[in-house]
Amino acid sequence: MHHSIHDEAHLSNRNHWLRAAVLGANDGLISTASLLVGVAAASISSQTLLLTGMAALTAGALSMAAGEYISVSSQADTEKADLDKELHELTHNAEHELNELTKIYETRGLDHVLAHQVAVALTQHDALEAHARDEIGLTDLSQAKPIHASVASGLSFIAGAILPIIGILLLPVQSLVWSLSSLTIVGLALLGIISARLGGAPVIPATARVVIWGVLAMVATSLIGRLFGVAAL
């Protein structure tokens, strides 16, 4: 039976999109719910709340996607600059780069002779790949992917923001502030569980972290929203 080089699936391979997705969903849920709780405290009509929520969802998703794209693009530019520098050094100072790679393998536990043999073999196979991986720390999995991160961030923001908006339509108007707050806490708990499952992390610590910090952020932003909401009337 044929086996691939890596039969086991490593959950850390998901890091390049999981971070953006969790951050986007968390931000979408907290920021939208906080805004709506603050505005709802000012006794605004349900129709106005719905329009406010949709505006927050649209603007937030676009802002999150654009911000993530710019951030990861900057990281990608830095990685490209490092690769260009390595390529220049390999072209103009190959012996020094070979010695540098040898020393890297020596620090990882190989004796000088074996480290040199490994460095020579990997240099002959793909010198730039060897230096990118072992000197800079870049691999195909870890390289910045702006489009992936941007899309994951924007869509996950929408997924998070849609929950409190649905709440406006389904929850009783008389207790909307407390109902939205409770719904948001439930959403934060679900987000913590999902992110823990996807990342292979312990569920309870991950969920507690998301809920606690999410509630603190929601309380702070909803107080500000309530203050300005009331003051605007």
Side-chain angles (χ1 to χ4, degrees):
M1 182 182 295
H2 174 72
H3 293 281
S4 61
I5 296 177
H6 301 290
D7 288 328
E8 70 277 12
H10 293 286
L11 297 175
S12 59
N13 293 347
R14 301 172 177 174
N15 280 345
H16 64 280
W17 60 265
L18 182 57
R19 181 195 65 85
V22 171
L23 180 62
N26 191 69
D27 192 22
L29 177 57
I30 293 173
S31 63
T32 306
S34 300
L35 174 64
L36 292 178
V37 167
V39 175
S43 301
I44 300 297
S45 68
S46 296
Q47 183 179 4
T48 302
L49 278 173
L50 183 59
L51 291 174
T52 301
M54 292 304 299
L57 181 150
T58 304
L62 292 175
S63 176
M64 179 66 73
E68 191 71 16
Y69 181 83
I70 292 170
S71 174
V72 180
S73 292
S74 297
Q75 179 185 341
D77 291 341
T78 301
E79 292 175 356
K80 183 178 184 303
D82 281 339
L83 290 176
D84 289 343
K85 181 179 179 181
E86 280 302 316
L87 184 59
H88 180 272
E89 291 297 321
L90 286 169
T91 303
H92 296 87
N93 202 353
E95 189 63 30
H96 172 76
E97 290 300 302
L98 181 62
N99 291 334
E100 193 173 46
L101 204 58
T102 300
K103 291 179 181 178
I104 289 174
Y105 298 139
E106 286 179 335
T107 62
R108 296 181 181 177
L110 301 182
D111 62 59
H112 177 75
V113 174
L114 182 56
H116 182 72
Q117 291 174 342
V118 171
V120 170
L122 291 179
T123 297
Q124 292 175 345
H125 175 69
D126 191 329
L128 183 58
E129 180 188 31
H131 281 272
R133 180 184 60 249
D134 296 322
E135 183 180 349
I136 305 174
L138 295 180
T139 65
D140 289 339
L141 292 174
S142 67
Q143 284 181 348
K145 297 176 176 63
I147 294 295
H148 291 179
S150 176
V151 171
S153 185
L155 291 179
S156 59
F157 185 98
I158 293 174
I162 201 70
L163 183 62
I165 293 176
I166 293 175
I168 295 173
L169 299 174
L170 301 180
L171 296 174
V173 177
Q174 296 81 2
S175 58
L176 194 55
V177 171
W178 292 108
S179 298
L180 273 178
S181 299
S182 300
L183 181 63
T184 302
I185 293 174
V186 172
L188 288 170
L190 290 175
L191 176 61
I193 293 171
I194 292 171
S195 61
R197 292 295 187 186
L198 289 175
V203 173
I204 294 178
T207 303
R209 182 169 58 240
V210 172
V211 171
I212 292 172
W213 285 104
V215 168
L216 290 175
M218 185 176 67
V219 168
T221 52
S222 63
L223 285 175
I224 295 173
R226 181 179 302 185
L227 174 63
F228 282 95
V230 173
L233 292 179

